Amino acid sequence: MAVVCGSAWERGAREVVVIAKAHAKRIPEWKVREVEELTELVKTHRTFVIVDLTKVPTAQLQRIRRKLERKLGGQVVMRVAKNTLMRLALQRAGVDTKKLEEYLTGTNMFIFSNLNPFEIALALDKVYATKPAKPGDVAPTEIVLPPGNTGFKPGPIMSVFGKLKVPIRVQGGTIWIAKETRVAKPGDVISPELASVLQKLGIEPIIVKLKPKAAYEGGVVIPADKLMIDLEEYRSMVAQAYMAALMVGAEIGYPEPEILEKVAIPLAVRRALAVAAEAGYVTPETAEYVIGTAVRRALAVVAALGDTAKELGIEVQVAAPAAPAAEEKKEEKEEEKEEEKKEEVGEEELAAGLESLFGF
């Protein structure tokens, strides 16, 4: 009985070994290394960006990767990896994958870096590659055929140029485009004829960019729509905040050189001049403001009186609008005559006017 049990145990042990070996064979060595490397990348970088590679041709992807590496100065590591392997690496690195599940679908590239994720997103938006157009593609920008020798021999292609309304001529046994011609506007669908001509001319009008799905930094997931920021809008917001801070500093009298020079002192001068104008305090520095205020008040009084002002013998000379260029000389002569007729205001009359307005 003991022998039987021993034999059964040995058979069971052998089966366990066989099963274990079978499971070990199911996990290729390259996958094990890939997970280890991805885990290390997650641990040693503060952020990573998930980039969608759907419909991105391999040739264009390689070009964009090289441009990104040059633009970001080698501060990024880019890896195309299977989502299952990346998910396992994230779990080993202690990252909660529940927040990232919706982005770990399709074909992805992962960009690891210690840079700000917004900086990476901006770089992705600026870097692109081009590819040949296919029938049905939408023109991202205006497509123009340059003038010159196409290298094509006269033949059926001449009718294609005619259909595209491209002026051509035959010279030296080849077809020449007579002048620069726009063959598509942004948003136009590219026809089979145009796609054929563009490919033969070596023109690649379709722009390929890498689109981020999301970024992960310090436990925070940033969706793509939050990654792409409007720099001009943020620049304006920062400028407004800066000016608001200066104004607050000026109001509370904060003794910062920048606040004093840019806001506090100019603001104090303007307020002092306004007080002088209101009080009628005349000095060489304030005379212009005092007189200007007096004139504006006088004109306001005349306007308020309306027709009564004319009955009181008060008339205000209003400057005529600028004359057209053709009548400029004639108007200038008439204005000169009118100026000669005007009476100059004497110092005594000016003083009397100020006294009546301000009571000094």
Side-chain angles (χ1 to χ4, degrees), residues 25-39 79 82 84-86 88-89 92:
K25 289 180 180 179
R26 290 175 190 171
I27 304 175
E29 185 63 29
W30 70 267
K31 287 188 177 181
V32 176
R33 290 197 303 269
E34 181 76 0
V35 171
E36 290 175 353
E37 291 175 9
L38 289 172
T39 304
R79 294 289 291 268
K82 292 183 177 295
T84 52
L85 301 183
M86 183 60 181
L88 184 57
R92 291 188 175 184

Side-chain angles (χ1 to χ4, degrees), residues 65-66 68-69 76-80 109-112:
R65 289 182 65 163
R66 288 193 292 269
L68 273 175
E69 288 172 351
V76 294
V77 178
M78 290 172 275
R79 294 289 291 268
V80 178
M109 181 173 74
F110 302 91
I111 302 178
F112 302 91

